Amino acid sequence: MPTVLVVDDQLLIRAGLVSLLNAAPGLSVVGEARDGEEAVRLAEATAPDVVLMDLRMPGTDGITATERILRRAGDTGDTPPKILVLTTFDLDAYVYNALRAGAGGFLLKETPPERLVAAIHTVASGDMLFAPTVTRRLIEAYHPGPTPPEAIAPEWHTVTGRERDVLRLVATGATNAEVALRLFISEATVKTHLNRAMAKLGLSSRAQVVVFAYETALVTPGGPTSLPSAPTAPTDGGPPGRSSGEAPRAAPPGSPW
């Protein structure tokens, strides 16, 4: 049963969210915080699976709280919670910066209750909450232009060709099953490649993978999105797959949920 920490500076909204989630089957609220500072303390004390995080709060805001919660989990070796951002506007620099900080997804505050509950289950399972096109819109609006991967992640040179293929496909919205189908490998192998690449690059969520891929032009809006059809020799000991130097096939857009 996923556990949830609710963070919002407005008492009525916070109380309403707590009541809603406690009444939802399969969820349990383990704490509520009125600002980012309290959220950091309670996240450490309660170890929730998901933090439902407001962004604009007095004092420590949701972006800073997200960074501190994830950094502390990394420092201690604990499993980090999934951060689900609540926002009033989807095309918002706050949302973009929250995703860069490691949030696993975001929801508008006007989201119907049943979708909120479904979204919490989605991020708790480690899946992306929204279509990559949403992140692309945010990046196009708030990022000045492509940055070399090495400038963002100095360990980029340690990422293998197969791991880069997996990153590209995940960034287009492909599920692990779809990536496995395209690269002729198992889902378990996809997960291994993805987890290794994310660890090397310091990425904590699939949303961060999308941000990284677009910011570094690993995937480009409107650019080529297909892997070559001819199999080539693997670059990292895996089964025959595709060349790592070309971009992936576009994944179906799918549902944001």
Side-chain angles (χ1 to χ4, degrees):
M1 176 185 293
T3 56
V4 185
L5 170 63
V6 177
V7 184
D8 198 293
D9 65 312
Q10 298 184 51
L11 176 59
L12 287 178
I13 293 178
R14 190 171 70 249
L17 289 170
V18 170
S19 297
L20 167 67
L21 299 181
N22 274 331
L27 293 178
S28 175
V29 176
V30 293
E32 53 181 293
R34 60 181 177 269
D35 57 35
E37 193 68 35
E38 189 174 20
V40 173
R41 292 198 304 271
L42 286 178
E44 182 178 18
T46 63
D49 297 309
V50 178
V51 178
L52 195 58
M53 180 76 75
D54 188 21
L55 285 181
R56 290 180 170 88
M57 296 179 290
T60 302
D61 64 16
I63 297 169
T64 303
T66 294
E67 292 172 339
R68 289 175 57 186
I69 288 170
L70 296 178
R71 183 170 60 248
R72 180 168 293 181
D75 291 342
T76 59
D78 297 329
T79 300
K82 309 298 183 183
I83 310 293
L84 178 56
V85 165
L86 285 177
T87 181
T88 304
F89 307 104
D90 57 351
L91 193 61
D92 187 336
Y94 276 84
V95 176
Y96 171 64
N97 288 325
L99 296 179
R100 291 190 83 247
F106 67 91
L107 286 175
L108 293 177
K109 288 190 174 182
E110 62 190 33
T111 298
E114 63 274 12
R115 284 198 168 186
L116 172 61
V117 172
I120 291 173
H121 283 289
T122 296
V123 297
S125 69
D127 291 333
M128 264 197 309
L129 180 62
F130 46 81
T133 52
V134 177
T135 304
R136 186 184 68 195
R137 286 172 53 226
L138 287 166
I139 293 169
E140 289 174 343
Y142 298 106
H143 186 66
T147 302
E150 297 83 357
I152 297 178
E155 297 302 317
W156 173 247
H157 70 281
T158 68
V159 179
T160 68
R162 182 53 60 86
E163 289 167 354
R164 296 183 191 194
D165 282 342
V166 171
L167 287 173
R168 288 191 187 97
L169 284 166
V170 167
T172 67
T175 65
N176 287 354
E178 290 167 336
V179 175
L181 184 64
R182 286 163 170 77
L183 297 180
F184 301 103
I185 56 180
S186 70
E187 287 187 50
T189 301
V190 170
K191 187 174 182 180
T192 297
H193 285 314
L194 179 60
N195 288 342
R196 285 176 178 170
M198 290 174 66
K200 291 174 183 178
L201 300 174
L203 306 176
S204 61
S205 71
R206 292 174 83 98
Q208 273 191 316
V209 170
V210 179
V211 172
F212 177 86
Y214 279 104
E215 286 190 340
T216 60
L218 188 63
V219 174
T220 56
T225 56
S226 61
L227 286 167
S229 55
T232 61
T235 58
D236 56 355
R242 307 292 208 253
S243 167
S244 65
E246 302 188 37
R249 185 179 307 142
S255 166
W257 311 104

